[in-house]
Amino acid sequence: MDYLPLARRLRPQNFSQIIGQELVAKALMAAIDKQKIAGAYLFSGARGTGKTSLARILAKALNCENLASSEPCSNCLPCREITASKCPDVLEIDAASNRGIERVRELRENITYLPHYCRYKVYIIDEVHMMTDEAFNALLKTLEEPPPNVKFIMATTNPDKLPATILSRTIRFNLNLIPIPVIVKRLSEIATDLNLKLTEQVLYLLAQKSAGSMRDALVGLETIVNLKKDDLELQNIQLLIGWHNFDDVLAILNDAFSENSDGALHKLNQLLITGTSASNLNADFLRFIRTMILSKSIKAHNNYHQQEWLPNIYKKILLLAQQLSLPKLQQAFDLFLDLELKSAKSLFENWMLEITLVKLSHLQDLVGVKEMISSLRQVAKTQAKQTKQAKINTTTIDFSSIKDKLSKTTEKSAILSSSDFAPHNQQIDSENKKLHVENVVNDYKEPTPTKDDTRLDIAKPVEPSEPAKSVVPSELAEQVTPPTPDLYDWTSFLDKNLSNLKDNKLKSLISLLKPIKFDQKVLKVASDNDFIIKTISDKEKLKIKEWLQSSCGFPIDLEYGSAAETTQKSYLETKELTQEKLHTKIKHDISLTEEVKTLTNLLPGKIIGVELDEN
């Protein structure tokens, strides 16, 4: 009696025995139950996923004499003949060896004949993508309008090579790779029936080696099925089927990522000596690194990749992944993927794998653009702080120069207070000294007018007979003048700030406005054109006020009426008021200068401070 391999002996004989393609089986059963059978079907998928098995079961269901619940009975004559591949009405054609137009012409001639004893004449064309273009063109019309008693079932592992005209004339089903847990469960059931005691590690090893193909898993199981019980150890099975230990692969990766290229190469050579191929090792490296990347990239409740590994192996993978960054793992994956592409036609796979491990041991973490920008900003902030601190620490002047300057002039705007100086007998530590320097600088440094400055420089000579010009203290300037340097030059102020305003209508309205007066720190503006001012909506007025307030730095009030004469008069009144208060302040400063002289005579040596401007 001839021996049947496990893959043939355990081939599914009905839809319920299909493993991993249950949804496709349900769709076919529904079509049979409703008697809506198409003229041509196409099953596409990887090897060993059940394409031919589904085609034969479908042929049996179409011709079964005792069909029950869309399942063939497997006992009637058509079912038995189809199972034994002896039915004259079910023809299996290998397109790889019958790919020419002559074979298609012969097929077209034969389909005109009625079936011998079956309901349908079924043509199963395997690896249909191997047919020539001429053969496909000759088959088009037959596929589109086959005779009522003829059905075509085609199978292919590469549907992309099929012409679109063929695909559009068939009902297509895509068969997925069978998940590893499903293969492990099926192998466990078969091993139990065969009285084989296989460990879970051996079952996972066979399932992973099959790469989603049930037929490959059964072939691997058949390799060890005749071994004695004492020989069914993981190490023996690995040597027998040409596989390797996952712990050894993890050890190589661990050494390489730890920059221990010597240890990684030594372990690699030990595996290669035992007969392990470089291509299998490279595939395992890719599988391990892929699992590490997914474990760091997706949420814990979505760890579908965890089902591909034994729990103890998966824990080791996670432990190694925690020590590595995601960019480094991505670089490592690219290295082994590049090796996979380059070594396909190379005679030096072992050498290329060794060099790839050396490259892996010298990988450095990539720095992203976000991290680079953050680092540069941090460096810039540190340098700015150091520069500012250096300037403050070096600001030291001779106190005697201040006495000389105070004695030469009686028109100093800065008022020195004895509370600004620490007593000479008090010990000031470095931190207090820095704080003291900052206070003195802020109190006595003359401000430089800028765009955002809130003070107005009105220290201009009024008449030749008046005293020398003086700097008005900031608190006095805020009481009598608007806090903007461009108030007296309103046109210049608008030119500088209106360029940033995108609303053209608001630009034109604001350009018509002129300042009238500054009363209680509120600037009032109006326009010469009463009609335009009155036509401005409340919403536009609000936008104008908000823009002026943000640009000038103080509240704005819009008024109606002509602004030309009022503006000139308001400016003159403001100027006279400023000059009058300025003279009063200067007289007060002269009296305080005498007090400063007395104070400076009591303070010997130098102090920390800033020079006073002679002017």
Side-chain angles (χ1 to χ4, degrees):
M1 182 177 180
D2 294 336
Y3 172 74
L4 284 179
L6 283 178
R8 290 184 57 187
R9 196 193 326 166
L10 300 177
R11 184 188 292 272
Q13 299 301 322
N14 51 53
F15 290 116
S16 61
Q17 294 178 1
I18 294 293
I19 302 297
Q21 314 297 342
E22 290 80 3
L23 188 60
V24 177
K26 289 181 180 179
L28 294 174
M29 292 174 65
I32 295 171
D33 185 48
K34 297 179 180 179
Q35 297 183 356
K36 295 182 178 180
I37 308 300
Y41 288 91
L42 174 63
F43 297 136
S44 62
R47 69 183 190 280
T49 53
K51 300 184 295 296
T52 306
S53 297
L54 277 171
R56 291 183 178 182
I57 295 172
L58 179 59
K60 288 169 61 175
L62 292 175
N63 296 306
C64 181
E65 296 177 353
N66 302 315
L67 188 68
S69 302
S70 303
E71 287 278 17
C73 67
S74 299
N75 293 322
C76 63
L77 178 62
C79 288
R80 293 197 308 269
E81 293 290 327
I82 294 173
T83 302
S85 300
K86 297 179 181 180
C87 182
D89 294 327
V90 177
L91 304 177
E92 292 190 28
I93 302 172
D94 181 16
S97 56
N98 300 277
R99 58 196 304 264
I101 190 173
E102 294 81 6
R103 182 59 174 162
V104 176
R105 287 173 179 171
E106 182 183 349
L107 183 150
R108 290 174 57 185
E109 293 176 0
N110 292 332
I111 65 174
T112 58
Y113 300 105
L114 293 176
H116 290 78
Y117 56 84
C118 292
R119 188 181 301 111
Y120 294 100
K121 182 178 286 189
V122 181
Y123 289 91
I124 300 175
I125 306 176
D126 199 9
E127 298 299 333
V128 67
H129 66 276
M130 300 294 289
M131 294 176 63
T132 62
D133 294 339
E134 293 79 6
F136 278 129
N137 293 331
L139 192 61
L140 285 178
K141 191 63 177 177
T142 306
L143 282 179
E144 187 174 6
E145 298 179 2
N149 56 352
V150 175
K151 303 295 179 184
F152 287 93
I153 304 175
M154 295 176 288
T156 178
T157 56
N158 197 343
D160 295 334
K161 290 186 177 181
L162 292 177
T165 51
I166 295 293
L167 294 175
S168 64
R169 288 168 168 81
T170 60
I171 303 298
R172 179 178 174 182
F173 291 100
N174 293 318
L175 277 64
N176 302 318
L177 292 173
I178 303 176
I180 289 179
V182 176
I183 296 178
V184 170
K185 182 180 178 181
R186 178 59 178 163
L187 290 178
S188 178
E189 295 173 354
I190 297 172
T192 302
D193 295 338
L194 298 175
N195 295 322
L196 287 176
K197 294 183 179 180
L198 300 179
T199 63
E200 192 176 18
Q201 290 180 331
V202 173
L203 294 175
Y204 265 88
L205 178 63
L206 294 173
Q208 288 175 330
K209 183 176 175 59
S210 67
S213 171
M214 181 59 72
R215 182 174 62 238
D216 290 2
L218 292 176
V219 170
L221 180 62
E222 191 170 15
T223 306
I224 64 174
V225 71
N226 296 320
L227 291 178
K228 296 180 179 180
K229 294 182 179 180
D230 297 337
D231 297 329
L232 293 177
E233 296 180 359
L234 180 62
Q235 185 176 1
N236 294 333
I237 293 175
Q238 287 173 341
L239 292 175
L240 187 62
I241 66 177
W243 209 245
H244 42 263
N245 195 341
F246 290 142
D247 290 332
D248 296 336
V249 180
L250 276 174
I252 294 174
L253 282 178
N254 189 26
D255 286 343
F257 281 120
S258 303
E259 302 182 2
N260 183 14
S261 57
D262 186 19
L265 293 177
H266 176 71
K267 292 181 177 64
L268 173 65
N269 290 327
Q270 292 296 322
L271 285 180
L272 294 176
I273 290 173
T274 59
T276 302
S277 65
S279 59
N280 284 340
L281 279 174
N282 188 45
D284 262 0
F285 289 142
L286 285 171
R287 188 179 293 111
F288 275 108
I289 297 174
R290 169 210 174 234
T291 304
M292 294 180 196
I293 293 175
L294 292 180
S295 66
K296 297 177 73 69
S297 303
I298 63 179
K299 295 181 179 179
H301 66 269
N302 196 25
N303 284 352
Y304 60 89
H305 56 278
Q306 182 178 353
Q307 301 175 357
E308 302 176 6
W309 304 95
L310 285 171
N312 60 332
I313 298 295
Y314 187 71
K315 288 180 181 179
K316 295 179 181 179
I317 295 174
L318 289 183
L319 184 62
L320 181 58
Q322 292 173 359
Q323 304 172 16
L324 303 169
S325 65
L326 188 59
K328 195 168 185 177
L329 287 172
Q330 291 172 343
Q331 291 183 80
F333 189 86
D334 291 338
L335 279 178
F336 289 109
L337 183 61
D338 187 55
L339 174 62
E340 178 73 16
L341 299 176
K342 290 181 179 179
S343 62
K345 298 181 180 180
S346 176
L347 300 176
F348 309 102
E349 287 185 317
N350 294 359
W351 297 356
M352 297 173 69
L353 184 57
E354 289 174 348
I355 300 304
T356 302
L357 286 176
V358 173
K359 290 181 180 178
L360 181 63
S361 63
H362 290 85
L363 278 183
Q364 299 295 329
D365 283 330
L366 291 176
V367 179
V369 177
K370 184 177 180 180
E371 290 78 7
M372 292 176 62
I373 294 175
S374 178
S375 299
L376 290 174
R377 286 177 176 172
Q378 188 64 30
V379 171
K381 288 181 180 179
T382 304
Q383 291 179 350
K385 287 183 179 180
Q386 293 176 351
T387 304
K388 182 178 180 181
Q389 193 63 41
K391 289 182 178 179
I392 294 176
N393 291 340
T394 55
T395 309
T396 305
I397 63 172
D398 190 352
F399 186 80
S400 60
S401 62
I402 297 179
K403 292 198 300 182
D404 296 339
K405 292 176 182 179
L406 287 174
S407 62
K408 291 179 181 179
T409 179
T410 59
E411 299 177 356
K412 297 298 178 182
S413 61
I415 305 172
L416 302 179
S417 173
S418 59
S419 61
D420 293 326
F421 305 98
H424 65 277
N425 58 349
Q426 182 179 358
Q427 299 295 329
I428 304 176
D429 57 8
S430 59
E431 293 297 325
N432 291 335
K433 188 179 297 184
K434 293 178 182 178
L435 181 61
H436 184 68
V437 170
E438 292 178 358
N439 292 336
V440 174
V441 170
N442 293 334
D443 288 343
Y444 298 109
K445 186 173 180 180
E446 182 177 348
T448 302
T450 60
K451 179 178 179 180
D452 297 329
D453 197 356
T454 58
R455 289 168 293 192
L456 178 65
D457 184 8
I458 60 171
K460 301 179 181 179
V462 182
E463 293 181 4
S465 59
E466 292 182 355
K469 60 183 179 179
S470 173
V471 178
V472 180
S474 59
E475 58 271 17
L476 178 61
E478 291 176 355
Q479 294 177 3
V480 298
T481 59
T484 173
D486 297 321
L487 185 58
Y488 281 116
D489 191 359
W490 184 258
T491 303
S492 175
F493 166 74
L494 293 180
D495 291 342
K496 291 180 181 178
N497 295 277
L498 277 179
S499 59
N500 299 326
L501 187 60
K502 296 182 179 179
D503 194 332
N504 294 328
K505 183 177 181 181
L506 287 182
K507 279 187 180 180
S508 59
L509 293 175
I510 293 174
S511 61
L512 298 174
L513 299 175
K514 296 181 180 179
I516 299 176
K517 67 177 182 176
F518 188 77
D519 186 17
Q520 296 181 354
K521 295 187 178 182
V522 177
L523 178 64
K524 296 184 178 181
V525 295
S527 173
D528 293 334
N529 194 325
D530 296 344
F531 176 75
I532 292 179
I533 284 294
K534 292 178 181 179
T535 56
I536 299 176
S537 65
D538 294 339
K539 187 176 181 180
E540 290 171 342
K541 289 180 182 179
L542 180 61
K543 288 183 178 180
I544 292 172
K545 290 177 66 175
E546 289 178 351
W547 182 86
L548 287 173
Q549 289 177 182
S550 62
S551 301
C552 298
F554 48 81
I556 300 295
D557 188 15
L558 295 178
E559 289 192 354
Y560 303 105
S562 177
E565 297 179 0
T566 310
T567 301
Q568 183 66 23
K569 182 178 179 182
S570 175
Y571 284 171
L572 291 176
E573 291 176 354
T574 303
K575 200 170 186 180
E576 291 176 1
L577 178 61
T578 300
Q579 293 172 358
E580 180 180 354
K581 292 190 175 183
L582 175 63
H583 293 164
T584 304
K585 185 63 179 176
I586 290 174
K587 292 179 181 179
H588 181 65
D589 291 346
I590 294 173
S591 61
L592 287 178
T593 302
E594 299 299 328
E595 297 180 11
V596 172
K597 289 182 179 181
T598 304
L599 176 63
T600 54
N601 292 329
L602 299 176
L603 296 175
K606 298 181 179 180
I607 65 167
I608 305 296
V610 179
E611 286 191 0
L612 296 175
D613 192 354
E614 292 183 358
N615 297 323

